[in-house]
DNA sequence: CGCCATAACTTAACGTCGTTAACACACAGA
DNA sequence: TCTGTGTGTTAACGACGTTAAGTTATGGCG
C-alpha cells in the first residue's frame, strides 16, 4: 500500500518546486515580483495548482519565511562564536547582520513586514533566534559585565540597534542618502556602540 | 490678466485636495489602500484627473513624503531642545522617535522603502534632518564629550539605533514577537545605550 | 473487467489595480 | 467666429490574486 505514500511524496515534491521557484524570484526580484502567475510559469503548471499547496500568496511567502528563520537560527550557532561573553555578543551581532545583508529580501519580509496573523510560537526558529541573543546577554550579565539587570530589555536593545543598521544599509544605496558610510563600517560601529552602551562602568 | 493666475490657483487647489485625500487614506489604511481610484472617489473626480497633477502613483506618494520630511525637520527644531550637548542628543532621539510613532505609515515610506529614483538633494528637508543630527553630534564632540572623531559615522550610528527601535515597535505588536517591551521603554533604552556607547571613557 | 469516487490539474472568469488612449467641452486669444 | 489649449470624462488594456467550474487520470471495489 505504498501508493498514498508515493502520492504524498509527489505532492511534497511539487510543493518543493513551488517553494524553490518562489524563493528564486523572491531573492532576485523582491516580494512584488513574486506573482502566482510567474511562479506557476517557472514550474510549468497553471497558477491554480499553487492553491492546492498553499492557501494564498501570503501563505506561500510565509512558508518561505519559515525556512529562512531556520537558516537564521543556524547562522547564529553559538558553537561558532568566541567564549568571552562580550566578544561573543559582538560576533553574534555581526553574524546576524551578515545573514541580513546576504538575504535582504527575506530579511525584509521576516522583520519589516507586519504579520499579524502569523505569530511566532515558542518553539519556532524565529522565537529561538531571539532566545540565542537573550542567552548570551544573560551570560554576559552573569559574568558581571553588564550594567543593567533586565536581560530581556538589554537583548531587545541590542537587537534594535543592529536591526536599524541593517535596515538603513539595505534600504538606501550609498549615494542616495546623506553620507551613508560603507555598509560594513556602519554595522560594526553600531554593534560596538550598542554593546559598549550596556557595559558596566 | 488675472486669468492664468486664477487657473493656477484652481490647479493648486485640486492638487491640494488630492494630497489631502491621499494622506488621509495613507495615514489610516497604509500604502496599499491608497489606490488612485479611491483617492479620486474621495475628491469626487475621475481617476484620470489625478494624472494631470501627478505623473503616477509613485509621484503622488513621493509628494506626500516630501511634505512629511518637512514636518520631521520641524519636529527636530533645535530651539526646543536642552542646551547640554548630551541631553540635547538624547531629546533629539526621542523627538525623532515620537514623530515616527505618530506617523508610522509615513515613516515607513520615508525610511523603509527603497526610493532609487528619488534621491534627496542637499537642500531637501530629508537631507537637512540628518544635518541636525550631525550638527548636534559635532557640538557634543566639540565639547569633548565623545570618544570618536568621525562625526558623520557617529551621527549615522545614533540614527541607525533609533531607527531600529522605531522599526521594531511599529512592525510588531507587543504580543507577536518575543517579549517586545512597552514601546516607549525600548526606545528610551535604545537612545540611552547608543549615546552612552559613544561617550568618552 | 467496468464503474466510480477522489484527487490533481486546467480553463475561464471575476473584481481590483495602475495607467492610457480617445474623446468632450469650456474658454481665452486671434 | 474660429481655434488651440487646458481640464475633465469614459472606456479600455494588461497584470494581478483568487475562485468556480470543468476535465482527466487513477486507485479501489463490485
Amino acid at each position: 500500500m505504498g501508493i498514498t505514500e508515493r502520492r504524498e511524496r509527489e505532492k511534497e515534491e511539487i510543493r518543493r518546486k513551488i517553494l524553490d521557484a518562489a524563493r528564486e524570484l523572491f531573492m532576485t526580484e523582491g516580494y512584488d515580483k513574486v506573482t502566482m502567475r510567474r511562479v506557476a510559469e517557472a514550474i510549468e503548471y497553471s497558477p491554480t495548482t499553487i492553491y492546492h499547496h498553499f492557501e494564498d500568496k501570503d501563505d506561500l511567502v510565509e512558508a518561505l519565511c519559515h525556512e529562512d528563520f531556520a537558516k537564521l537560527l543556524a547562522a547564529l550557532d553559538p558553537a561558532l562564536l568566541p567564549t568571552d561573553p562580550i566578544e561573543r555578543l559582538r560576533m553574534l551581532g555581526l553574524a546576524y547582520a551578515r545573514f541580513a545583508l546576504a538575504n535582504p529580501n527575506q530579511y525584509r519580509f521576516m522583520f519589516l513586514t507586519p504579520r499579524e496573523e502569523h505569530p511566532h510560537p515558542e518553539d519556532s526558529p524565529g522565537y529561538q533566534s531571539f532566545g540565542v541573543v537573550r542567552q548570551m546577554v544573560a551570560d554576559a550579565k552573569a559574568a558581571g559585565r553588564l550594567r543593567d539587570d533586565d536581560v530581556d530589555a538589554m537583548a531587545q536593545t541590542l537587537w534594535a540597534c543592529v536591526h536599524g543598521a541593517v535596515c538603513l544599509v539595505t534600504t538606501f544605496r550609498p549615494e542616495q542618502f546623506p553620507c551613508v558610510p560603507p555598509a560594513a563600517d556602519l554595522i560594526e560601529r553600531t554593534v560596538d556602540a550598542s554593546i559598549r552602551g550596556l557595559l558596566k562602568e
Side-chain angles (χ1 to χ4, degrees), chain A:
Chain A
M1 187 66 76
I3 291 171
T4 60
E5 289 156 16
R6 195 208 62 208
R7 281 265 175 94
E8 273 178 26
R9 219 168 41 236
E10 286 172 355
K11 180 148 188 169
E12 195 52 43
E13 218 167 86
I14 174 173
R15 182 188 159 92
R16 193 64 259 152
K17 275 171 104 172
I18 294 172
L19 280 172
D20 288 344
R23 161 162 285 114
E24 170 71 17
L25 283 170
F26 195 70
M27 281 183 53
T28 58
E29 312 205 41
Y31 180 88
D32 287 345
K33 299 300 177 60
V34 181
T35 71
M36 301 305 251
R37 285 171 164 89
R38 286 186 69 177
V39 172
E41 193 182 358
I43 60 171
E44 297 178 301
Y45 281 83
S46 77
T48 317
T49 300
I50 303 180
Y51 289 89
H52 292 133
H53 299 264
F54 299 93
E55 222 177 87
D56 51 24
K57 181 178 176 182
D58 207 55
D59 189 35
L60 169 56
V61 187
E62 185 68 25
L64 276 188
C65 186
H66 187 268
E67 294 186 345
D68 290 321
F69 270 113
K71 287 187 195 165
L72 172 61
L73 184 57
L76 302 183
D77 183 1
L80 305 175
L81 301 175
T83 54
D84 174 76
I86 300 306
E87 195 57 26
R88 222 166 141 79
L89 266 181
R90 193 178 122 81
M91 287 304 174
L92 180 69
L94 296 182
Y96 179 93
R98 209 176 308 120
F99 174 88
L101 298 195
N103 309 278
N105 287 333
Q106 281 98 322
Y107 188 84
R108 211 173 179 74
F109 190 79
M110 292 161 73
F111 292 113
L112 239 29
T113 306
R115 303 151 77 250
E116 319 223 353
E117 307 84 16
H118 302 278
H120 296 262
E122 291 203 20
D123 59 348
S124 68
Y127 200 94
Q128 287 176 8
S129 296
F130 184 74
V132 173
V133 184
R134 184 168 42 203
Q135 183 57 53
M136 294 201 190
V137 170
D139 292 346
K141 168 73 194 152
R145 308 283 291 273
L146 301 184
R147 57 186 300 132
D148 201 333
D149 282 331
D150 191 334
V151 169
D152 271 333
M154 286 190 291
Q156 287 149 13
T157 300
L158 290 181
W159 179 28
C161 293
V162 183
H163 177 58
V166 162
C167 289
L168 286 189
V169 165
T170 55
T171 301
F172 299 110
R173 304 209 164 282
E175 72 280 9
Q176 260 172 336
F177 216 79
C179 332
V180 173
D185 190 40
L186 176 60
I187 282 167
E188 208 158 320
R189 281 171 176 275
T190 302
V191 170
D192 288 343
S194 56
I195 293 179
R196 199 183 304 119
L198 295 180
L199 290 181
K200 181 164 275 179
E201 94 243 53

